[in-house]
Amino acid sequence: MPGVYRVDLLTRQVASPDVDWSYGEPTEMLTPRNSEDFMDEMGESSGAYIVRIPFGPKDKYIPKELLWPHIPEFVDGALSHIIQMSHVLGEQIGSGKPVWPVAIHGHYADAGDSAALLSGALNVPMLFTGHSLGRDKLEQLLKQGRLSKDEINTTYKIMRRIEAEELSLDASEIVITSTRQEIDEQWRLYDGFDPVLERKLRARIRRNVSCYGRFMPRMVIIPPGMEFHHIVPQDGDMDGEVEGNEEHPSSPDPPIWSEIMRFFSNPRKPMILALARPDPKKNITTLVKAFGECRPLRELANLTLIMGNRDGIDEMSSTNASVLLSVLKLIDKYDLYGQVAYPKHHKQFEVPDIYRLAAKTKGVFINPAFIEPFGLTLIEAAAHGLPIVATKNGGPVDIHRVLDNGLLVDPHDQQSIADALLKLVADKHLWARCRQNGLKNIHLFSWPEHCKTYLSRIASCKTRHPQWQRSDDGGESSETDSPSDSLRDIHDISLNLKFSMDGDRSGA
């Protein structure tokens, strides 16, 4: 992005025959796609780099659960690299003064632990992204009842992971999340975060009222970015000529199309598409029941279930095999032969072709999961011109609010699922409107959009010492707030505070 001089991604160096040789390279420069656009800003050490720090067993790739004892070794190596680079950059662009990172961002618990230590040692603002949270995982595993808490801890080192996440909360200025659900349902489980108290503290800080040592990081929702430049949406007409894409420039019909179409007695009907592994949480059986028991839907549409790859059911895990057998029994129960496709194999590069096929038949994409933390497949589907039906639990709520390209349903309500699918398949005007809304708004989930929002948040962090070299008149370094951070949702909330309001009101 313009304005960013250098980014270093610090990770582990591994020289092992089990992994690609590049994992052993100490430094790897990432070539920018539009490097010619930024030639004016390029300097000798500018750009984006993967920097691999040697720590832990040198010749062995080990699971993340076993990395915890080696974290201090990584921090020492990372600290050495950052100090060295600050002096190199200082000589090149800092008039001889060290140029320090503007922020340190930890991804996942172990990197959060490391970033907290680095942030403290260097006095540089820290950001954190949890990706998958230990307390939430612990709750889910305990609910399943297959493992005791001690067994979970032995397998996943879950308590050490939670400890690292609590440390990351305490050290971070900003925690970046993908959805509102992640904040309200997952981060609220932590000692270091409380949604109500966080809003009260924010109100006090804005009014220059003392918080008496209480601190909580700012929670910010920035959805992951996606690449859309290569996507060619279909016109939604089975009779039209199929446009080839970059993957298949010479072949109008990708092989996966015939692999799916062979299941259908009438392949021209709109296709309801579900793309999920056969996991009980994905709620595929309820979808098949909804389809099987709704005669108008069966008459109007076909159902395609892309449930990962399998050779034999006996070779699958017991949980996945159980879900797949349930699906097959339901297909038999409702006599859905010729109306449901469930191919055994597909390659990752064929997934866009599957979306294109569904859009070409004027179909619908559905995610009926009981809870969906984010819902990347919904964005992929929208980018290919597919309207969506999705669970109302979790990330799809945020995605739908932005895209407005479909309907949300209660995943436990079979009738609601059938009604939503029927409505979109039967009402061609609604289908076209949802498709257009999705295509019109999809850029809001692009990488450039993600980066712009992300950089604006970094700019809002208070500079410390050592600090990035800024011009004296640069007002952009002051804390900025987006409209969503206004006090309208917490009007005079500080009046409800339990602790004294008699704080220091002098300038911050």
Side-chain angles (χ1 to χ4, degrees), residues 475-503:
E476 73 276 10
S477 64
S478 62
E479 186 159 358
T480 57
D481 297 302
S482 70
S484 63
D485 289 323
S486 72
L487 283 173
R488 67 179 183 274
D489 59 331
I490 47 172
H491 182 61
D492 282 333
I493 202 163
S494 58
L495 297 177
N496 300 321
L497 293 174
K498 295 287 188 289
F499 39 81
S500 168
M501 290 290 291
D502 302 322

Side-chain angles (χ1 to χ4, degrees), residues 89-90 165 181 300 313 327 347 361 442-443 498 501 506:
L89 291 175
E165 288 161 345
Q181 185 269 348
L300 278 176
I313 296 177
V327 167
K347 295 183 174 64
T361 63
I442 198 69
H443 72 278
K498 295 287 188 289
M501 290 290 291
S506 60

